[in-house]
Amino acid sequence: MATFISVPLKKSSEADLVKPLSKFVTATYSAGEEQGEYIRAVEELNKLRKNALGRPLDKHESSLEILLRYYDQLCAVEPKFPFSENQLCLTFTWKDAFDKGSLFGGSVKLALASLGYEKTCVLFNAAALASQIASEQNLDNDEGLKAAAKYYQLASGAFGHIKDTVLSALNREPTMDISPETVGTLSLIMLAQAQEVFFLKATSDKMKDAVIAKLANQAADFYGDAFKQCQYKDNLPKEVLPVLAAKHCIMQANAELHQSVLAKQKKRFGEEIARLQHAAELVKTVASRYDEYVSVKDLSDKINRALAAAKKDNDFIYHDRVPEVKDLEHIGKAALVKATAITPPLSQKFTDLFEKMVPMAVQQSMSIYSQRKAETVNRLVGSMREATNLCNGVLASLNLPAALEDLSGDSIPQSIAEKARSIVQQGGLQSIEQLIKDLPELLTRNREILDESLKMLDDEETTDNELRTKFNQRWNRTPSGDLYKPLRAEGTNFRNILDKAVQADQVVRDRYGSHCDMIALLCKPENELNAAIPSANPTKTLQGSEVVNVLRSQLAQLDEMKKERETLEGEIKAVTFDMSTAFLTALAQDGAINEEQLSLSQLDQLYGAYNQRVQATLRTQEELLGQVQTSHQEFSSLKQSNTEANQREEVLKKLASAHDSYVEISSNLREGTKFYNDLTEILLKFQNKCSDIVFARKTERDELLKELQQSIAREPSAPNFSVPAYQSTPAAGPTPAPRTVFVSSNSRSQTLNTTEHYKRQMVVYRSVFLLLSAFQAQQPQQPQQAQQQPPAKPQPPARPPPPAFTPQAASTPPTNTPPTGPPTSNPPPVAPPSQAQGPPYPSYQGYPGYFQMPMGYNPYAYGQYNMPNMPSMPNMPYMPYQATPGQGGYPGAPPAGQPYPGYPQQPPQQQPYYPQQ
């Protein structure tokens, strides 16, 4: 019967996918139908993992389909979520498939925050289950042979894929079962077994012997390669190596057997015998060395029959010379198997749960594109706003258009009146002061969030460093300092942004302080404002002049240009374009995205025309401002020059500038408020990210600490136990108290054997007591006078010391010491032993087979002693020992250093027990 190797499944701990993935979906996608769909998909993914890993799987194709479907979903979801230790941290824990644990329980396991690790372990389980399904197939029919070959090739491809990708998928050394050496060997074993299945198929189909020999020779070659890879590695179970060696010999023997048939057909009878002899030697080797793993009786009989027939024919008929094995022509090879390529999707029923979600590469490219687009929009809009502010500043310095409206010299110019009403409508000084008052509170809130986030990282890193210092190389996870570098860089960036925001706030406050008085003046009623403005002599002669009309026309053109800029700004902000399609197309075609090239090309198409229009408005403004300045010089020369007129014009300039400053300060403060509020949301996401990774690290830390505690508990306290000096020298005084001996895992089997030995001693003791009781019952009755005396309380005999535990004593034959005095029931007094010995058990001479009694057992109990658990004599009373005439008493103690006669010796390697005081 063929023996095939199957691989056990790895076991995984439970992992919650819903919470971290749902949090990422909520933070990344806006609330709506799309977000709800993704959250439902996350829940389905979690259920799929439980079905694939959370329960035992049958050795059936449906169970393999569940594993492959989960693996395909992992491959599909990997590029769509930022799985990493410092972003979306998910920790997966797996146990070594070949580790059976130690005496104290537990097994080798590894916890990593890596989706690649999860994929590798799931694919390992798929390969292992495929090997189990293949080994369960019925190889007596074609369907079973085809299924077995299919699954073995799938398992070989999966193990080979793990070999090529495991080191890049993990950021640390893997467990032994998924190491490249182990999975490489398993891949070869599965390929060899698939080749063997093809050999069995060819044999059952009775194909040509030449083909069968090549198939068997190729299978032997595969088994030989697998044997070479694992014979120097202790990474697979010990049963695998002899099976591989046996299979290598069996396949080679089959190849020689079928090649011998081909030699017989070609009339090469000597070659036939040589090949059959080689095959017989190979099979004999298997039978002598690996018979407990693989049975070769049928093959051996077949080869021996063929060899006997070939020798008989050659000896009597052909007399062909039998060549040496080394001189035989090499048998060809025919490889009909190939490891299945692992190209997802592997499942036939796979559907992507996150089909509508774009990959992370596209998301990142979209994010960078959005930044480039925002920079382009801000550049265009900012250049127009900057030009508008420059225009307003120039006009305010020229007191335009107020100078054209103030030709009477005693009334408020219309433009100043409108500006005053505009400020009052916007809330005046109170609105600006309230905005300025709110900024520090918003700033403080953001700083607190940032500080708390960084403090969590600091605390976890401090704990990690302390444990790393304590455990040294045992603390083999990624250092927190290295892991938190991106987060700390992000936190530093946020802190720099806050510092720049503080500087900008101060600039706004300074500007507000310089224009506060004029802004307050514009907020006053119209009569108070008119009274605050100095009056001047009228210059009505200029009202109908050509210079005034030209100046007014130029100012009207500037106003028209400002309105066009507002319209253009709205159009620029309204431009939208979905770049995801372009990025997805590039990713599908090239496997990568050249974001910079695609983004710049698209932005040039979208905003090229708007850029030209913005530049045109800037050139127009420059020309108009030059014309306005020239016209204003002519207008100023025509005006009557006096002190009052100059003072009035100076105040009107300040009022116009105060209005412009008010508008700009209000805009800046509102932008600052919005900035701080938006930054609060960003910092809260940053805080959640820090909290998630700290929690994941804490979970990983607790798991690692648990493993370290178990490994430390499994380690022996002292490899070599040294005996104290006082145990090897004679001890005087009272006998020491018993000592507790801790047995390591290496001496566990010896302890169990000693316990079994004690049980056998108990049986011997009970037999001895039965014999003593029977002997007592046969003694003659005492005289009547002695019987009338009250019975004396039976006294136990004195306990002679046991023999010394020496190797020489163990080999000395027992001798009987004859009594030297009259028969008594008690032995003579005995001198105390010279050193600590075992328990003081009695020795009965004349009863062979007596062994040392276990510690704590005392057969000399006072009074009546009932023997328990005696099937032949239940509850038999204990009879005290009475000596009879002619019978010697107990022997005395032997001389110091001599063995006690009749007492078996313990092996010298065992430590003697201490007697009780």
Side-chain angles (χ1 to χ4, degrees):
M1 180 179 179
T3 300
F4 290 91
I5 297 173
S6 60
V7 183
L9 299 179
K10 291 174 69 67
K11 293 182 179 180
S12 173
S13 301
E14 184 177 354
D16 183 19
L17 306 181
V18 176
K19 183 178 179 181
L21 295 184
S22 299
K23 183 181 291 186
F24 172 80
V25 169
T26 305
T28 305
Y29 299 92
S30 57
E33 182 179 353
E34 188 180 45
Q35 184 188 104
E37 182 179 353
Y38 292 156
I39 291 179
R40 288 191 295 272
V42 167
E43 295 173 352
E44 287 296 324
L45 177 63
N46 196 54
K47 292 180 182 178
L48 186 59
R49 187 183 195 275
K50 290 183 178 179
N51 290 334
L53 308 178
R55 61 185 181 88
L57 296 177
D58 298 329
K59 299 177 183 179
H60 192 267
E61 185 178 1
S62 59
S63 299
L64 180 62
E65 183 70 20
I66 294 175
L67 272 176
L68 294 179
R69 184 183 168 204
Y70 178 55
Y71 176 78
D72 291 337
Q73 188 59 64
L74 290 178
C75 294
V77 81
E78 184 177 22
K80 299 180 180 181
F81 288 88
F83 293 101
S84 64
E85 285 186 293
N86 53 8
Q87 294 189 53
L88 186 56
C89 188
L90 264 174
T91 302
F92 301 100
T93 304
W94 288 82
K95 294 182 179 179
D96 192 314
F98 302 118
D99 188 82
K100 303 301 181 183
S102 65
L103 176 65
F104 299 97
S107 61
V108 176
K109 60 182 177 180
L110 178 63
L112 286 181
S114 168
L115 191 71
Y117 177 53
E118 174 86 347
K119 285 173 51 183
T120 299
C121 295
V122 172
L123 186 59
F124 182 94
N125 271 11
L129 186 59
S131 71
Q132 295 177 13
I133 296 174
S135 64
E136 293 291 322
Q137 298 298 317
N138 183 7
L139 302 183
D140 295 333
N141 55 62
D142 287 349
E143 293 182 359
L145 289 169
K146 291 179 181 178
K150 170 188 171 184
Y151 289 121
Y152 279 135
Q153 291 177 89
L154 174 62
S156 177
F159 286 131
H161 184 78
I162 295 173
K163 175 187 175 183
D164 298 334
T165 59
V166 63
L167 295 181
S168 60
L170 279 63
N171 55 5
R172 56 168 292 179
E173 192 70 20
T175 51
M176 186 61 72
D177 55 344
I178 58 174
S179 64
E181 296 82 5
T182 303
V183 291
T185 305
L186 292 176
S187 179
L188 271 179
I189 292 174
M190 296 299 117
L191 200 63
Q193 294 185 155
Q195 181 75 14
E196 183 181 355
V197 170
F198 273 96
F199 160 75
L200 295 175
K201 177 73 167 60
T203 304
S204 65
D205 292 345
K206 297 182 180 179
M207 299 180 68
K208 294 182 179 180
D209 290 287
V211 175
I212 299 176
K214 291 179 180 179
L215 292 175
N217 195 33
Q218 182 65 70
D221 194 36
F222 284 150
Y223 278 119
D225 292 342
F227 178 80
K228 291 176 184 177
Q229 284 199 15
C230 70
Q231 65 176 332
Y232 300 112
K233 300 283 186 180
D234 188 18
N235 50 2
L236 290 175
K238 62 181 181 179
E239 299 85 3
V240 173
L241 196 62
V243 172
L244 294 178
K247 283 297 192 77
H248 172 68
C249 295
I250 291 172
M251 287 294 101
Q252 198 170 357
N254 276 292
E256 296 289 353
L257 174 62
H258 288 276
Q259 193 70 18
S260 70
V261 177
L262 187 63
K264 182 178 181 180
Q265 294 173 357
K266 295 180 179 181
K267 308 298 184 180
R268 299 174 183 173
F269 303 108
E271 178 184 347
E272 177 192 8
I273 294 175
R275 292 192 181 278
L276 289 174
Q277 287 177 346
H278 188 205
E281 291 174 359
L282 291 170
V283 173
K284 184 178 179 180
T285 301
V286 175
S288 61
R289 296 183 181 180
Y290 315 115
D291 185 54
E292 59 177 313
Y293 300 100
V294 180
S295 175
V296 290
K297 186 178 184 302
D298 295 340
L299 179 61
S300 178
D301 294 342
K302 184 177 181 180
I303 293 173
N304 290 331
R305 286 195 301 268
L307 178 60
K311 283 185 176 180
K312 181 179 180 181
D313 292 343
N314 191 54
D315 292 341
F316 287 96
I317 303 175
Y318 306 112
H319 304 289
D320 195 5
R321 185 183 66 86
V322 178
E324 296 290 336
V325 175
K326 62 181 180 179
D327 298 331
L328 294 175
E329 182 181 353
H330 291 290
I331 305 174
K333 301 176 184 178
L336 297 185
V337 295
K338 185 179 180 181
T340 304
I342 303 301
T343 306
L346 301 175
S347 172
Q348 300 177 356
K349 302 178 181 180
F350 170 69
T351 54
D352 189 0
L353 298 175
F354 301 89
E355 184 176 3
K356 296 182 180 180
M357 182 182 290
V358 297
M360 282 303 301
V362 177
Q363 294 183 30
Q364 294 172 357
S365 299
M366 287 291 295
S367 177
I368 299 175
Y369 166 76
S370 299
Q371 294 178 4
R372 294 183 187 275
K373 178 184 175 183
E375 290 175 358
T376 303
V377 171
N378 292 336
R379 178 173 53 81
L380 296 175
V381 173
S383 61
M384 290 191 296
R385 289 184 177 180
E386 185 179 355
T388 300
N389 292 334
L390 176 62
C391 179
N392 292 335
V394 171
L395 294 180
S397 65
L398 300 177
N399 193 26
L400 294 176
L404 298 180
E405 298 168 355
D406 190 35
L407 296 179
S408 62
D410 53 2
S411 62
I412 301 177
Q414 183 65 27
S415 61
I416 299 298
E418 291 177 357
K419 292 176 179 179
R421 286 193 292 271
S422 174
I423 289 176
V424 172
Q425 289 175 0
Q426 295 180 29
L429 287 177
Q430 291 80 7
S431 64
I432 290 183
E433 291 176 351
Q434 184 61 40
L435 290 173
I436 292 176
K437 181 181 178 181
D438 292 341
L439 287 181
E441 298 179 0
L442 299 175
L443 174 66
T444 302
R445 180 181 63 185
N446 288 334
R447 284 193 184 278
E448 289 176 352
I449 296 174
L450 180 60
D451 293 341
E452 183 179 353
S453 303
L454 296 177
K455 185 177 182 299
M456 287 192 293
L457 301 181
D458 293 338
D459 293 343
E460 201 283 328
E461 183 175 352
T462 301
T463 304
D464 181 71
N465 292 334
E466 292 175 353
L467 292 172
R468 191 175 305 280
T469 304
K470 180 178 180 181
F471 293 105
N472 296 327
Q473 291 83 2
R474 291 173 180 253
W475 198 252
N476 54 4
R477 69 170 185 168
T478 306
S480 297
D482 298 340
L483 189 62
Y484 295 156
K485 284 181 179 179
L487 290 175
R488 294 195 181 280
E490 194 173 354
T492 303
N493 183 38
F494 287 139
R495 197 173 295 281
N496 293 335
I497 290 174
L498 288 175
D499 294 339
K500 292 180 180 179
V502 171
Q503 297 176 3
D505 294 343
Q506 188 60 42
V507 171
V508 173
R509 291 192 186 92
D510 294 342
R511 188 170 184 181
Y512 171 71
S514 62
H515 295 88
C516 179
D517 296 338
M518 289 294 106
I519 294 174
L521 185 59
L522 288 173
C523 295
K524 291 183 178 182
E526 187 173 345
N527 56 348
E528 296 183 12
L529 177 60
N530 190 18
I533 299 175
S535 60
N537 295 327
T539 55
K540 295 182 180 180
T541 56
L542 297 176
Q543 290 182 359
S545 66
E546 183 179 357
V547 175
V548 173
N549 294 333
V550 170
L551 196 54
R552 284 177 177 172
S553 174
Q554 293 170 347
L555 293 177
Q557 292 179 19
L558 287 175
D559 290 339
E560 186 66 24
M561 183 193 65
K562 292 178 183 179
K563 292 179 181 179
E564 290 179 0
R565 285 179 177 172
E566 292 178 358
T567 304
L568 182 59
E569 180 177 341
E571 292 178 3
I572 291 174
K573 290 181 177 180
V575 173
T576 57
F577 183 79
D578 186 11
M579 282 292 293
S580 60
T581 304
F583 289 144
L584 285 171
T585 304
L587 184 62
Q589 292 178 352
D590 305 331
I593 300 175
N594 190 344
E595 180 275 329
E596 184 177 3
Q597 179 181 354
L598 294 174
S599 297
L600 293 180
S601 175
Q602 187 62 41
L603 290 174
D604 185 62
Q605 294 179 13
L606 293 176
Y607 296 101
Y610 291 108
N611 187 40
Q612 294 177 3
R613 292 173 61 182
V614 170
Q615 296 300 324
T617 61
L618 296 180
R619 290 192 296 268
T620 302
Q621 174 179 307
E622 187 177 357
E623 294 175 359
L624 286 175
L625 284 179
Q627 296 173 6
V628 167
Q629 289 176 344
T630 303
S631 301
H632 183 266
Q633 289 177 358
E634 296 179 3
F635 173 74
S636 298
S637 63
L638 293 176
K639 286 179 64 176
Q640 183 178 359
S641 177
N642 55 47
T643 305
E644 294 178 355
N646 292 336
Q647 292 177 352
R648 180 179 178 85
E649 186 172 358
E650 189 66 26
V651 172
L652 293 177
K653 288 180 181 179
K654 290 182 179 180
L655 290 174
S657 179
H659 171 267
D660 295 338
S661 299
Y662 178 85
V663 173
E664 187 174 358
I665 290 171
S666 298
S667 176
N668 292 337
L669 290 174
R670 290 189 179 92
E671 288 180 357
T673 302
K674 183 177 182 301
F675 163 79
Y676 283 124
N677 290 329
D678 294 343
L679 185 61
T680 299
E681 296 182 4
I682 297 175
L683 289 175
L684 287 175
K685 292 181 180 179
F686 176 73
Q687 185 183 39
N688 290 334
K689 187 189 299 185
C690 295
S691 176
D692 291 344
I693 189 174
V694 167
F695 177 77
R697 293 285 286 179
K698 181 180 181 299
T699 305
E700 181 185 8
R701 181 185 70 206
D702 295 342
E703 190 75 19
L704 186 56
L705 278 174
K706 183 178 178 182
E707 292 180 11
L708 287 175
Q709 291 171 358
Q710 292 178 353
S711 64
I712 292 172
R714 291 194 292 264
E715 291 179 355
S717 300
N720 297 321
F721 189 85
S722 58
V723 180
Y726 70 87
Q727 295 187 18
S728 58
T729 58
T735 306
R739 176 172 62 93
T740 303
V741 179
F742 294 93
V743 183
S744 66
S745 58
N746 295 331
S747 61
R748 177 175 176 85
S749 59
Q750 180 181 351
T751 304
L752 294 176
N753 294 335
T754 305
T755 305
E756 189 66 28
H757 178 61
Y758 285 159
K759 292 181 180 179
R760 291 197 296 267
Q761 292 177 1
M762 289 291 295
V763 176
V764 174
Y765 269 108
R766 291 174 180 173
S767 302
V768 170
F769 291 132
L770 289 175
L771 291 173
L772 284 174
S773 301
F775 179 79
Q776 179 66 29
Q778 296 175 3
Q779 300 302 316
Q781 297 293 330
Q782 299 293 332
Q784 184 70 22
Q785 184 179 0
Q787 293 181 1
Q788 292 178 358
Q789 295 178 357
K793 184 177 181 180
Q795 298 294 330
R799 305 176 184 178
F805 296 98
T806 60
Q808 293 80 4
S811 59
T812 304
T815 57
N816 295 330
T817 304
T820 57
T824 59
S825 59
N826 292 324
V830 187
S834 60
Q835 62 178 1
Q837 303 291 338
Y841 302 138
S843 174
Y844 293 91
Q845 300 186 19
Y847 294 99
Y850 174 75
F851 296 94
Q852 179 184 352
M853 195 166 56
M855 183 175 179
Y857 184 84
N858 184 8
Y860 300 99
Y862 294 101
Q864 298 297 323
Y865 182 84
N866 295 330
M867 297 295 294
N869 301 325
M870 297 297 295
S872 59
M873 298 180 180
N875 299 327
M876 178 180 176
Y878 169 75
M879 302 298 294
Y881 179 81
Q882 296 182 5
T884 57
Q887 179 181 2
Y890 287 98
Q898 296 296 325
Y900 195 83
Y903 199 91
Q905 308 302 315
Q906 287 187 349
Q909 68 272 16
Q910 294 184 356
Q911 293 289 340
Y913 289 92
Y914 284 91
Q916 297 183 358
Q917 292 183 355

